[in-house]
Amino acid sequence: AQKVTQAQTEISVVEKEDVTLDCVYETRDTTYYLFWYKQPPSGELVFLIRRNSFDEQNEISGRYSWNFQKSTSSFNFTITASQVVDSAVYFCALTPNTGNQFYFGTGTSLTVIP
Amino acid sequence: NAGVTQTPKFQVLKTGQSMTLQCAQDMNHEYMSWYRQDPGMGLRLIHYSVGAGITDQGEVPNGYNVSRSTTEDFPLRLLSAAPSQTSVYFCASRRQEYTDTQYFGPGTRLTVL
């Protein structure tokens, strides 16, 4: 079975705080890709990152960083020094190499309070 | 490149009416999908296509039809709208391989009264 779990439904932080969004996935495939998308209040879905199952290096892009750990089937997303513009719903997604489907988590709504 | 476009942006229907949500992409992507987004449920796959002339069902296909006559277009038809189909609909596309990033259209907010 393929599944993505984002246990944090809503998170609120004060501006400049760091925040980590959790993503846990399930798959029997040994080859797969993981993604994060951002959905700001305007509603569009914005691609943030793609990571394949063979690359466990952490990635940093500005204030964003991602921690991929196969041992715990997790792909967590950290925002450092959060800003009000980071307020959005964030989705984690999985695509295995069998089948053609993307599997999305239910999303985490982040509110950054000024 | 316009990317993935969807029309209309908003639509209100009465129960029993039919309509077509339009989706087009100009990136020459083989793979296209339709999702619906409901509060607390994330995005659920309705139908998808791996190329012109080929479509398949996703997780929640009932009440919807699709066709793919060209690489660029992938319309979603609601046959007889029901209030349970009130949702935000997203079209997405990617190149054929599963490894590729999926890009989304801006969404259509549909209300069925």
Side-chain angles (χ1 to χ4, degrees), chain B:
Chain B
N1 269 359
V4 182
T5 59
Q6 290 182 238
T7 56
K9 198 166 179 59
F10 301 96
Q11 183 70 50
V12 178
L13 292 178
K14 294 181 180 178
T15 297
Q17 287 184 316
S18 62
M19 79 158 295
T20 300
L21 307 185
Q22 301 292 345
C23 174
Q25 53 89 12
D26 62 359
M27 298 176 280
N28 202 32
H29 285 173
E30 289 294 324
Y31 183 95
M32 296 184 74
S33 305
W34 276 103
Y35 293 87
R36 59 178 289 174
Q37 183 180 21
D38 302 295
M41 303 191 74
L43 284 88
R44 292 183 293 168
L45 183 65
I46 305 171
H47 286 284
Y48 65 95
S49 168
V50 297
I54 306 169
T55 63
D56 205 348
Q57 296 181 351
E59 180 185 356
V60 288
N62 292 343
Y64 307 94
N65 270 359
V66 292
S67 59
R68 183 97 178 271
S69 56
T70 67
T71 299
E72 294 77 19
D73 300 300
F74 190 43
L76 178 71
R77 298 182 187 83
L78 280 70
L79 308 174
S80 177
S84 60
Q85 294 178 305
T86 293
S87 188
V88 180
Y89 291 84
F90 286 97
C91 179
S93 76
R94 60 175 164 154
R95 288 188 305 169
Q96 191 170 17
E97 295 83 5
Y98 80 99
T99 59
D100 291 319
T101 299
Q102 190 160 225
Y103 296 96
F104 288 84
T108 295
R109 185 173 293 275
L110 175 68
T111 302
V112 183
L113 302 174

